[in-house]
Amino acid sequence: MKILYSTLLLVTFLQVGYAQDPVITFSETEIYCNGTDTLFVNVANAADIKGVYNYTQSMNPCFSDEISGTIEITEFDEFTENEYSVSDFSFGAWGACYFIDPPTGNLRWTLDGSLITWPGTDNYGEQWQFDSFESTGDSYTFTYSNTYAETGFVTLSKVDGSTLPFLTIDPSENTNNEYTYNWSTGSTDNFIVISENGTYSVTISDGVNNYEREYELMNAEQEHPDFNALSDLYNSTNGIVWDNREGWENAIENNIGCNPCKGWIGVTCLDNRVIEIDLTENNLTGVLTPAIQELNALTELNLSFNLIGGEIPKELGNLENLSRLTLTQNQLTGTIPSELSNLQNLNSLSLSSNLLTGEIPEEFGNLNLFSLGLGNNRLTGSIPNSLANIDGLRLLTLGPNLLTGEFPNEIVENKFMFFLSLWGNQLEGPLPTGLTDVGLIDLRYNNFSGTIPEEYGEYNSIFGLRLDGNQLEGEIPNSIYASAGLSE
């Protein structure tokens, strides 16, 4: 079965001025994953008067000169629709011609369609009203009066010069309330159900004016580029038993909501492509599917603390944008695929706490890792000398495993290694030296021999040193006692 989806597409048409055109918006809403869509047309009033305005005021009873300034019109509050507060506006005179500043939240305008009214009072309980109102594309010009017959003449224009919507104080001109619809398909609802690409038109009438709009559906048969790969991941890891399968279950099992960028748990998108998957501790079982390679925009994959078994698919090496791969604490078996060395953008690789066997791939020296975690597996063989090529490596966790041979000192020598954990292996030879800015060195339970280097006491940044369970000889250097603040 072909799984289909559709994206939200928003087209807005707006004309202002004397035409009084409403805002007409199309929205294409996915219902099922079989290409069937519902196309809605929404009509809203064109009036949005929020913004900063320049004003001039004349005909004031106290002054013959014009008064100018700026005001801001904002929403009255988030719970009251179509009411606007008018700030810092001197609307009249009182007593000895002192201007009255409207109190916050009292002096406000209300819109109903294109009809504007003035229900507020000022600090002195005075009611205000519009006596005339002329609306053009560039400004509002009106006269007003209050309960004491104080009057004024004001012109408002937007500071940014933008066009203003049509407003009126005459109810007979407020026609943007009821609409009828006539679609090219014959429907008279505000929506049509469609399943084929094509151009659909609708005529919207407010009883006086007709507004004709066209909409082109272009993606009724388009498949989301990441859906199939995610579906395979869901099925191969027994998604039906995941602890949280929000979004995934509806889309994959019920054919509803097939765009993974809309509400799928653990999925993060950018530009309608999946870039992150984080399903940590979500009871994933089964195995990993090679189809993951189709998620070619993926930058992070975290499936840690689950029960995934089987081998790591070599196809993961095709995810060229991957920067973090975390499969910690699963039941993965087999060898580590050398193909992971193709991931040149990878900076963190964690495969710790699995059942992995075989050797650490020599090709890992080609990576640009910051962190490499392979501990708590069943890896054998020696530690590759090639890891010395990773200049930016700061965290290296290789224990416990079954690694043998000497530790290649070049891996850490004169590098800013924050964390080095080799414990629980069968490593031999001298202890690593040349560490710079090291924080924790855990070398316990190996077969290291020889003496403890004096320089270990010179690492000022060290906060942990574990050397027990080796075959070391000699005394603990005085420098270590000194760095720990202890006497010999």
Side-chain angles (χ1 to χ4, degrees), residues 334-347:
T335 60
I336 301 173
S338 61
E339 286 81 2
L340 296 183
S341 64
N342 296 330
L343 302 175
Q344 290 303 296
N345 289 309
L346 197 67
N347 58 57

Side-chain angles (χ1 to χ4, degrees), residues 66-103:
E66 288 186 344
I67 302 172
S68 299
T70 61
I71 65 164
E72 183 175 10
I73 300 177
T74 59
E75 290 182 330
F76 175 59
D77 62 43
E78 60 181 314
F79 305 107
T80 307
E81 278 191 40
N82 300 323
E83 291 201 5
Y84 298 85
S85 291
V86 184
S87 67
D88 300 325
F89 200 176
S90 297
F91 271 111
W94 175 80
C97 293
Y98 294 106
F99 289 104
I100 300 172
D101 293 325

Side-chain angles (χ1 to χ4, degrees), residues 47 74 87 114 117 170 198 207 216 282 294 346 371 394 415 473-474:
T74 59
S87 67
S114 59
T117 55
D170 183 353
E216 185 177 4
N282 200 33
E294 298 171 18
L346 197 67
S371 172
R394 300 292 180 264
K415 292 181 180 178
E473 58 186 21

Side-chain angles (χ1 to χ4, degrees), residues 127-423:
Q127 292 278 10
W128 296 85
Q129 66 183 33
F130 292 111
D131 294 327
S132 68
F133 198 103
E134 180 181 353
S135 177
T136 70
D138 299 323
S139 64
Y140 299 134
T141 301
F142 56 90
T143 59
Y144 61 87
S145 62
N146 65 5
T147 49
Y148 291 93
E150 294 173 325
T151 63
F153 178 87
V154 176
T155 298
L156 296 182
S157 60
K158 289 292 286 293
V159 169
D160 61 8
S162 59
T163 302
L164 297 175
F166 177 86
L167 298 179
T168 180
I169 62 171
D170 183 353
S172 65
E173 298 181 36
N174 185 37
T175 59
N176 295 345
N177 290 322
E178 299 294 333
Y179 297 94
T180 59
Y181 308 90
N182 186 12
W183 290 87
S184 54
T185 62
S187 173
T188 56
D189 296 317
N190 70 327
F191 66 91
I192 54 174
V193 178
I194 47 183
S195 59
E196 296 182 359
N197 293 330
T199 300
Y200 299 85
S201 60
V202 60
T203 299
I204 303 166
S205 176
D206 60 11
V208 177
N209 302 298
N210 291 332
Y211 309 97
E212 296 182 5
R213 296 291 186 267
E214 289 186 346
Y215 180 86
E216 185 177 4
L217 180 68
M218 302 179 61
N219 62 345
E221 299 180 357
Q222 183 178 351
E223 186 176 84
H224 190 281
D226 296 322
F227 180 86
N228 284 337
L230 293 174
S231 181
D232 285 350
L233 174 62
Y234 178 86
N235 290 322
S236 70
T237 57
N238 297 317
I240 192 63
V241 299
W242 289 5
D243 289 339
N244 190 338
R245 46 190 182 274
E246 181 181 348
W248 299 71
E249 181 178 23
N250 265 342
I252 297 168
E253 297 181 18
N254 303 321
N255 287 344
I256 299 174
C258 291
N259 187 345
C261 299
K262 297 180 180 179
W264 287 30
I265 189 72
V267 174
T268 302
C269 292
L270 178 65
D271 296 330
N272 205 39
R273 292 300 309 275
V274 175
I275 60 169
E276 296 179 16
I277 299 175
D278 187 348
L279 296 171
T280 304
E281 203 170 355
N282 200 33
N283 198 37
L284 276 65
T285 59
V287 298
L288 292 179
T289 172
I292 290 180
Q293 68 177 322
E294 298 171 18
L295 301 171
N296 50 33
L298 199 63
T299 61
E300 296 190 22
L301 177 62
N302 188 346
L303 305 178
S304 57
F305 296 95
N306 284 293
L307 300 170
I308 303 171
E311 297 188 355
I312 300 172
K314 64 181 181 181
E315 289 80 5
L316 284 176
N318 294 326
L319 296 174
E320 59 182 20
N321 292 307
L322 202 63
S323 62
R324 294 178 63 87
L325 175 58
T326 309
L327 303 177
T328 305
Q329 194 78 40
N330 278 284
Q331 298 177 0
L332 297 168
T333 59
T335 60
I336 301 173
S338 61
E339 286 81 2
L340 296 183
S341 64
N342 296 330
L343 302 175
Q344 290 303 296
N345 289 309
L346 197 67
N347 58 57
S348 176
L349 174 60
S350 181
L351 307 177
S352 297
S353 299
N354 281 285
L355 304 173
L356 298 172
T357 57
E359 299 186 358
I360 301 172
E362 186 78 27
E363 293 86 350
F364 275 13
N366 298 325
L367 291 170
N368 299 305
L369 293 172
F370 177 90
S371 172
L372 176 60
L374 304 177
N376 200 19
N377 281 289
R378 300 172 182 176
L379 301 177
T380 56
S382 59
I383 300 173
N385 291 331
S386 62
L387 297 186
N389 297 328
I390 309 177
D391 291 332
L393 191 60
R394 300 292 180 264
L395 295 93
L396 180 60
T397 304
L398 301 180
N401 275 293
L402 301 172
L403 299 172
T404 58
E406 294 191 7
F407 178 76
N409 206 58
E410 297 84 359
I411 294 176
V412 296
E413 195 168 35
N414 298 319
K415 292 181 180 178
F416 296 97
M417 182 70 67
F418 303 148
F419 186 92
L420 176 63
S421 176
L422 306 175
W423 78 279

